[in-house]
């Protein structure tokens, strides 16, 4: 029998967005995530990439941890169900809105601090509260293992206005990202949070094309 080459790497991506929150009645990421599967069915997924799930989360912190972890744990269970081959990479890809921005931002890190400028959608308004107390004080940060400068450069070359960012805020986006980064580290996955402008700043079609291009770049990475 002849020797076989290495099996191709499969990248499974689980995508989340958010429902409305204070000051943003129409969250672009809710519409993007709800339409993503059908959009990619029409466009075609990049080679080697599987769209594992598309989920819209409540724009809330502590009160929404149950659904968040139900989703995170399901990514592990689904991987086991397929045998979770060593050559499968899993990316937890989170989308959130930044109503004051006119560009896309790839968030490099999340900080262990919940300081909400207004109550979340379940009425919680923490101030200088550690997100995970066992991680220490509010200055502790967790970083993505993805090469954001490389990803950003590739997307810029495709014509998108996108930059890496070191500040995901201290609201729900940062809260979810921090939990996701810790979960990803524990389970051998990677996590990334992307901030999107409103559709008034960059229209919906361009934002959908941006997501498709981002998936293409992620599928091409060696990490």
């Amino acid at each position: 029998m002849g020797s076989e080459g290495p099996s191709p790497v499969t990248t499974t991506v689980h995508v989340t967005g958010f429902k409305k929150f204070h000051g943003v009645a129409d969250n672009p990421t809710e519409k993007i995530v709800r339409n993503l599967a059908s959009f990619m069915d029409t466009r075609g997924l990049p080679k080697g990439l599987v769209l594992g799930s598309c989920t819209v989360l409540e724009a809330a912190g502590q009160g929404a941890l149950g659904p968040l972890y139900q989703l995170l744990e399901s990514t592990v269970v689904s991987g086991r169900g397929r045998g979770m081959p060593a050559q499968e990479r899993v990316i937890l890809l989170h989308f959130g809105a930044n109503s004051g921005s006119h560009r896309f931002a790839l968030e490099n890190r999340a900080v262990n601090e919940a300081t909400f400028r207004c109550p979340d959608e379940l009425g919680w308004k923490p101030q200088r509260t550690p997100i995970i107390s066992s991680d220490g004080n509010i200055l502790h940060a967790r970083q993505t293992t993805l090469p954001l400068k490389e990803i950003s450069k590739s997307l810029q070359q495709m014509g998108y206005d996108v930059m890496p960012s070191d500040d995901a805020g201290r609201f729900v986006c940062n809260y979810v990202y921090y939990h996701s980064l810790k979960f990803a580290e524990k389970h051998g996955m990677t996590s990334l949070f992307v901030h999107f402008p409103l559709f008034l700043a960059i229209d919906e079609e361009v934002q959908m094309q941006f997501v498709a291009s981002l998936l293409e770049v992620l599928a091409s990475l060696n990490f």
Side-chain angles (χ1 to χ4, degrees):
M1 292 177 64
S3 61
E4 297 181 359
S7 300
V9 175
T10 299
T11 301
T12 301
V13 182
H14 298 274
V15 185
T16 72
F18 286 111
K19 297 179 183 178
K20 68 178 181 68
F21 63 94
H22 182 79
V24 179
D26 295 307
N27 192 323
T29 69
E30 177 175 8
K31 194 165 189 181
I32 288 168
V33 172
R34 289 199 191 283
N35 294 336
L36 185 57
S38 60
F39 182 82
M40 294 309 299
D41 278 345
T42 302
R43 181 186 171 104
L45 284 166
K47 184 179 179 181
L49 187 136
V50 175
L51 196 56
S53 63
C54 295
T55 307
V56 178
L57 302 170
E58 195 75 57
Q62 192 175 61
L65 276 181
L68 174 62
Y69 271 89
Q70 190 173 17
L71 166 68
L72 295 177
E73 292 289 352
S74 74
T75 68
V76 179
V77 173
S78 64
R80 288 194 193 119
R82 293 192 304 271
M84 195 67 171
Q87 64 272 23
E88 180 178 15
R89 306 179 299 198
V90 177
I91 300 175
L92 306 173
L93 183 58
H94 306 286
F95 298 159
N98 181 352
S99 59
S101 179
H102 286 75
R103 63 169 43 154
F104 302 101
L106 308 180
E107 299 296 347
N108 183 50
R109 65 182 198 150
V111 181
N112 191 30
E113 178 187 350
T115 295
F116 292 5
R117 66 186 184 279
C118 59
D120 66 19
E121 289 304 293
L122 296 178
W124 190 46
K125 190 182 178 183
Q127 298 297 305
R128 297 180 63 81
T129 302
I131 294 171
I132 298 178
S133 57
S134 60
D135 272 4
N137 64 35
I138 60 174
L139 299 177
H140 188 267
R142 290 182 172 275
Q143 288 191 290
T144 183
T145 55
L146 290 169
L148 295 197
K149 287 184 180 179
E150 179 185 335
I151 296 170
S152 183
K153 185 177 179 181
S154 296
L155 291 167
Q156 288 167 359
Q157 290 172 343
M158 295 176 181
Y160 298 106
D161 190 359
V162 55
M163 292 289 289
S165 165
D166 284 324
D167 186 2
R170 301 294 184 274
F171 194 47
V172 174
C173 293
N174 177 75
Y175 190 90
V176 166
Y177 195 21
Y178 193 88
H179 278 282
S180 179
L181 285 166
K182 180 161 186 170
F183 186 90
E185 180 183 15
K186 179 180 178 182
H187 293 281
M189 304 175 180
T190 53
S191 177
L192 174 62
F193 197 103
V194 183
H195 266 121
F196 287 67
L198 300 182
F199 288 147
L200 290 171
I202 298 180
D203 69 48
E204 181 181 346
E205 178 61 27
V206 173
Q207 296 210 31
M208 293 300 295
Q209 295 289 351
F210 170 80
V211 175
S213 297
L214 174 60
L215 293 176
E216 185 180 321
V217 172
L218 292 174
S220 71
L221 288 176
N222 292 315
F223 63 92

